[in-house]
Amino acid sequence: MLPLYLTTGEPAGIGIDITLALAALPFGQRIDRPLVVLADPALMLRRARKLGLDVNLIDYMGQEIPAPIGSLYIRPVPLRVSVVDGQLNPLNAPYVLEQLSVAADACLHGRAAGVVTAPVQKSVINEAGIAFSGHTEYFQERAGVAKVVMMLATRTLRVALATTHLPLRAVPDAITPALLTQILTILIHDLRTKFAIAQPKILVCGLNPHAGEGGYLGREEIEVIEPVLAEFRAQGIDVGHALPADTLFTPRLLKDADAVLAMYHDQGLPVLKALGFGEAVNITLGLPFIRTSVDHGTALDLAGTGRAEAGSLVVAVQLANELANAHL
């Protein structure tokens, strides 16, 4: 039973807090494979004491069963400098990236079933002089794949993004037939192979209000989006016509959909997070391994206070476990 690796992310944020909360999960919420935490043990224990938690850290030595309740498996990664809760320090940027490197290599060399990531602070990594645009891009480069897709999911809704972190004025130029073909190909492939959905049904948002209103509010739907969708339908794939987002995100249409493809970040994700914030999971499609993540940031002001919510991390770990089991 291959383990899942868990990167704890920015050491001054809540990644450590929410990771520690996993040790107390009851049997009904626990996964059936080892979960290996990547962190500095001294940092973990200091934060546990501050939070009033009694957590036993067990060195991971290839164990094939989950850690007992109250315990966590750990693979030590040493901090570069000591941490003040809630205060970023660029000197610890290499510590954050070493976690990602160890986890990615374990997955790529068949020593781990997947990786779950707690949040990082991109700004402080760049402040350290290291070019870093995010987990997704890091794992894409490490795995040597040409394209990946960001998808967020709750228990009832999956939303994939055609474009991610772009200024809104750059989105229309970025949406090309080649991009949409690439995104849909990855989305369909991973829904089939990772989620075991043999014939996925995908709803697609138009770019413009009212999906362009027949060309009066923009022609991207007519000239770019619809021709690509027609090609997939001609292959027998259940991909809908481009719909206005305010029509698409309604219970009547969503109830039979396996995923929604939104054209840009703030078209799809506000709806998903309104429905399931704190229990949503970020999934990277197109990688040769499973990667899930929390749907929130480092919340520096909550680090060490006992007020951080671990719900999203719990769901991210459980989903990674389910996806790994689907590959057995």
Side-chain angles (χ1 to χ4, degrees):
M1 184 71 76
L2 287 175
L4 294 171
Y5 273 36
L6 170 59
T7 63
T8 50
E10 168 53 50
I14 63 169
I16 297 292
D17 305 48
I18 59 179
T19 297
L20 288 165
L22 298 178
L25 287 181
F27 279 113
Q29 296 183 45
R30 296 172 76 81
I31 63 174
D32 57 3
R33 66 180 61 241
L35 178 69
V36 182
V37 174
L38 299 175
D40 187 298
L43 171 64
M44 293 280 291
L45 293 173
R46 182 185 67 77
R47 191 76 62 85
R49 287 193 297 270
K50 186 173 183 179
L51 296 171
L53 301 175
D54 184 14
V55 177
N56 180 37
L57 301 181
I58 304 171
D59 284 338
Y60 182 68
M61 304 294 289
Q63 295 93 324
E64 295 186 356
I65 59 173
I69 290 179
S71 301
L72 293 170
Y73 289 129
I74 189 165
R75 178 168 174 178
V77 177
L79 280 166
R80 288 352 186 229
V81 295
S82 61
V83 170
V84 177
D85 299 344
Q87 295 184 24
L88 298 171
N89 189 331
L91 294 178
N92 273 322
Y95 163 78
V96 175
L97 294 183
E98 185 177 350
Q99 297 173 44
L100 305 187
S101 172
V102 170
D105 286 352
C107 291
L108 291 169
H109 292 93
R111 299 191 300 271
V115 57
V116 182
T117 58
V120 298
Q121 189 86 15
K122 289 179 280 191
S123 61
V124 76
I125 298 173
N126 284 285
E127 186 181 339
I130 302 169
F132 181 82
S133 54
H135 280 114
T136 302
E137 295 81 3
Y138 180 91
F139 288 130
Q140 176 185 353
E141 182 177 352
R142 195 85 180 189
V145 296
K147 185 68 180 176
V148 294
V149 175
M150 179 186 290
M151 183 173 79
L152 270 79
T154 66
R155 289 294 181 185
T156 59
L157 177 63
R158 302 181 187 97
V159 177
L161 301 178
T163 62
T164 53
H165 301 126
L166 287 179
L168 194 55
R169 68 172 62 247
V171 169
D173 289 340
I175 296 174
T176 63
L179 175 76
L180 290 178
T181 299
Q182 201 173 28
I183 295 287
L184 278 165
T185 299
I186 293 171
L187 176 58
I188 293 161
H189 176 271
D190 278 26
L191 287 173
R192 287 172 170 168
T193 60
K194 291 181 179 176
F195 289 83
I197 302 171
Q199 299 295 333
K201 177 180 175 64
I202 299 170
L203 301 182
V204 180
C205 295
L207 173 66
N208 297 295
H210 298 186
E213 194 77 68
Y216 290 101
L217 293 176
R219 297 191 59 82
E220 285 85 359
E221 288 77 12
I222 295 171
E223 297 175 358
V224 179
I225 301 173
E226 281 294 349
V228 172
L229 303 183
E231 290 179 6
F232 280 92
R233 287 193 294 271
Q235 300 170 36
I237 297 169
D238 194 350
V239 177
H241 292 275
L243 294 174
D246 62 351
T247 299
L248 185 155
F249 285 108
T250 55
R252 180 180 66 84
L253 293 177
L254 290 177
K255 65 182 179 68
D256 296 322
D258 295 303
V260 172
L261 177 60
M263 291 297 113
Y264 56 94
H265 187 281
D266 282 11
Q267 183 181 54
L269 298 194
V271 179
L272 181 135
K273 291 192 176 186
L275 290 174
F277 187 75
E279 294 186 349
V281 180
N282 186 344
I283 307 150
T284 305
L285 308 180
L287 292 172
F289 54 84
I290 294 160
R291 183 258 168 162
T292 65
S293 183
V294 296
D295 69 341
H296 57 74
T298 54
L300 297 168
D301 59 319
L302 298 181
T305 67
R307 293 186 286 119
E309 296 287 342
S312 181
L313 182 62
V314 171
V315 178
V317 170
Q318 291 172 338
L319 178 58
N321 183 65
E322 291 172 14
L323 297 177
N325 287 345
H327 283 71
L328 292 177

